Amino acid sequence: TAVDVAAVLGAFRRSYPEVGVNVRTGGSDEFLRRIAAGELDVGFLGLAEGVTPRGVQTRELSRERLVAVLAEGHRLAERRRLRLEDLADEPFVDFPEGSSGREQSDLAFDRAGLRREVSFEVNTADLLTGLVRQGLGAALVAPSVAREAPGCVCIPVSDGPVRVEYLAWDSFNPSPAAQAFVDSILMPQPKSPSPTAATA
């Protein structure tokens, strides 16, 4: 959510039309393994705060506290702020156990000394918010995902998990194309000068 991937890819293609680009979606753990193995050039990762990616070069892009997503008619939907203990007895919709998406919430509940039940394990944010919209459970997601969930409300969670987004790439001899892509994200592009009028 820190980067508009489609816009970045479009700009890169316009700058380097001869470079072939393939895009894959998946989990951050899988991407870390594949980058370290030389199977992927670059990846966008979302990891729990305190989890450091290893075996690859990274740059932190953003960090954000996850928010609670509830169905509009949920008993807590009118609250302005929640704590994890307010949600502990709710059934949860989350990503699969062991995934980096799930780890963010699991670690937060563990640190708070709370247990929760994950009733639905899913692989996509759309299905996750769809199940929440049907009143089947609560979820903790990035604010940008929550805002795009019709029929749901998003509520800040004061002690909720923090998600850290990284750009990751192979630090050992990256290809020129991969390095150009990394540079296009990390190096801000110069802004065009604003038009000025001159009189003689």
Side-chain angles (χ1 to χ4, degrees):
T1 57
V3 172
D4 182 339
V5 176
V8 165
L9 289 171
F12 185 75
R13 173 57 58 90
R14 288 187 292 277
S15 296
Y16 302 96
E18 300 299 317
V19 175
V21 176
N22 295 301
V23 175
R24 302 283 181 269
T25 58
S28 296
D29 297 328
E30 174 196 356
F31 287 170
L32 279 169
R33 284 191 300 274
R34 294 185 68 187
I35 293 168
E39 298 169 4
L40 286 177
D41 291 313
V42 182
F44 295 100
L45 314 176
L47 301 174
E49 185 177 45
V51 174
T52 304
R54 303 211 182 276
V56 298
Q57 184 76 26
T58 61
R59 177 72 61 87
E60 183 177 320
L61 299 174
S62 74
R63 58 181 54 225
E64 58 188 348
R65 189 169 299 280
L66 302 187
V67 297
V69 181
L70 305 168
E72 286 179 341
H74 191 279
R75 65 183 179 81
L76 298 173
E78 299 299 319
R79 296 274 297 271
R80 295 180 63 94
R81 183 166 292 276
L82 295 168
R83 295 186 53 79
L84 288 176
E85 66 185 345
D86 298 323
L87 298 165
D89 292 332
E90 298 293 323
F92 264 81
V93 183
D94 210 332
F95 296 103
E97 187 173 4
S99 68
S100 57
R102 169 79 169 266
E103 183 179 36
Q104 300 160 30
S105 297
D106 284 348
L107 286 173
F109 274 92
D110 286 346
R111 288 175 185 144
L114 299 168
R115 296 183 58 85
R116 68 175 180 145
E117 178 187 340
V118 177
S119 301
F120 300 91
E121 293 186 353
V122 300
N123 284 316
T124 67
D126 286 345
L127 180 55
L128 182 145
T129 55
L131 293 171
V132 169
R133 182 171 48 255
Q134 295 301 318
L136 297 172
L140 293 169
V141 299
S144 57
V145 172
R147 284 191 294 272
E148 296 173 4
C152 297
V153 297
C154 60
I155 304 171
V157 181
S158 55
D159 57 346
V162 173
R163 179 177 191 264
V164 183
E165 290 195 18
Y166 295 92
L167 178 68
W169 64 98
D170 186 357
S171 57
F172 178 73
N173 197 24
S175 71
Q179 190 62 57
F181 184 75
V182 168
D183 291 346
S184 73
I185 295 166
L186 299 183
M187 294 183 188
Q189 301 301 314
K191 294 184 179 178
S192 354
S194 46
T196 57
T199 58

